[in-house]
């Protein structure tokens, strides 16, 4: 992140105020990250399309290869915040399927971090590793039908301790599998 000392304020009658960012007082890793973000074509594409995350384009590529959202009406997005996968999954479900006007694709999004509302999405602010999430998901599904796709982009906050981070990542994968076993329709 940029430090306060790296902000340079500039004022002019036409452009007031403008903040220029300097990389000189930041750590080398921050500078590398900022440069990578500035040059990343997916970040640019995300900004142009209004998607919430650049990772949404990964999901589009997966769908193009395996038709993930073909015949999909209900999906679950684990680790959903900020909502890029949720947004694009709804778009892909509409694109891949012909729904009657009374039927709309639906996503249940789960995350420990808050997420801005999206139409046809039920957000659960909770931890997917908590066993209480499965009954909550099943309760929402009572009126929605079977789940066709469960997707997860969950990741731990990496500590730098590779062993610890690996254990947490495996726990998240195990929780994703447990949720999938409990809610995914046969053949989903």
């Amino acid at each position: 992140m940029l430090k306060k000392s790296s902000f340079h304020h500039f004022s002019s009658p036409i452009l007031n105020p403008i903040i220029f960012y300097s990389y000189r007082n930041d750590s080398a890793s921050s500078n590398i990250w900022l440069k990578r973000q500035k040059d990343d074509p997916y970040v640019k594409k995300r900004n142009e399309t209004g998607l919430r995350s650049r990772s949404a384009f990964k999901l589009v590529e997966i769908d193009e290869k395996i038709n993930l959202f073909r015949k999909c009406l209900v999906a679950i997005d684990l680790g959903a915040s900020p909502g890029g996968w949720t947004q694009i999954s709804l778009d892909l479900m509409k694109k891949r399927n012909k729904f009657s006007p009374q039927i709309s694709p639906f996503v249940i999004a789960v995350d420990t971090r808050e997420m801005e509302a999206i139409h046809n999405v039920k957000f659960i602010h909770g931890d997917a590793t908590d066993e209480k999430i499965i009954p909550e998901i099943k309760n929402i599904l009572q009126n929605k039908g079977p789940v066709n796709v469960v997707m997860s982009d969950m990741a731990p906050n990496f500590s730098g301790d590779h062993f610890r981070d690996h254990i947490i990542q495996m726990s998240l994968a195990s929780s994703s599998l447990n949720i999938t076993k409990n809610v995914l329709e046969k053949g989903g």
Side-chain angles (χ1 to χ4, degrees):
M1 299 297 292
L2 291 173
K3 300 173 189 166
K4 285 187 178 185
S5 63
S6 62
F7 294 136
H8 299 283
H9 295 278
F10 173 80
S11 294
S12 80
I14 300 168
L15 306 169
N16 193 19
I18 297 176
I19 300 175
F20 291 95
Y21 297 96
S22 167
Y23 300 128
R24 68 177 179 226
N25 294 327
D26 292 324
S27 69
S29 63
S30 292
N31 286 334
I32 291 167
W33 184 87
L34 285 168
K35 180 165 177 22
R36 196 171 53 232
Q37 288 291 352
K38 181 179 171 271
D39 297 337
D40 188 327
Y42 290 108
V43 170
K44 292 174 185 171
K45 194 172 179 182
R46 178 205 62 204
N47 293 338
E48 292 167 2
T49 60
L51 289 171
R52 296 181 181 196
S53 67
R54 63 187 288 281
S55 66
F57 299 106
K58 290 190 283 185
L59 193 58
V60 171
E61 290 176 6
I62 292 168
D63 184 64
E64 286 172 354
K65 288 181 182 177
I66 64 170
N67 286 317
L68 183 64
F69 293 101
R70 186 176 57 84
K71 296 183 181 178
C72 182
L73 180 61
V74 179
I76 296 179
D77 184 2
L78 304 172
S81 186
W85 278 27
T86 305
Q87 277 180 308
I88 206 71
S89 64
L90 284 169
D91 290 345
L92 291 169
M93 282 190 266
K94 288 175 190 171
K95 179 181 169 186
R96 300 269 186 263
N97 302 288
K98 303 293 184 217
F99 298 115
S100 70
Q102 297 86 5
I103 300 174
S104 296
F106 182 75
V107 176
I108 298 173
V110 180
D111 206 309
T112 56
R113 294 178 297 158
E114 287 291 338
M115 187 175 97
E116 288 183 37
I118 299 173
H119 183 66
N120 289 336
V121 174
K122 173 63 177 165
F123 177 68
I124 300 173
H125 186 242
D127 188 345
T129 62
D130 186 345
E131 288 291 325
K132 295 174 190 167
I133 288 293
I134 294 172
E136 193 169 347
I137 291 171
K138 285 183 174 182
N139 186 42
I140 294 166
L141 291 172
Q142 287 178 0
N143 303 341
K144 298 297 177 184
V147 174
N148 312 109
V149 172
V150 176
M151 53 193 162
S152 175
D153 198 21
M154 292 191 295
N157 293 324
F158 291 105
S159 67
D161 178 343
H162 298 295
F163 180 75
R164 179 185 175 278
D165 293 341
H166 177 74
I167 297 295
I168 294 169
Q169 185 67 53
M170 291 298 99
S171 173
L172 293 173
S174 177
S175 295
S176 297
L177 180 60
N178 187 37
I179 291 169
T180 301
K181 285 180 178 179
N182 278 278
V183 300
L184 187 66
E185 75 171 339
K186 187 174 182 176

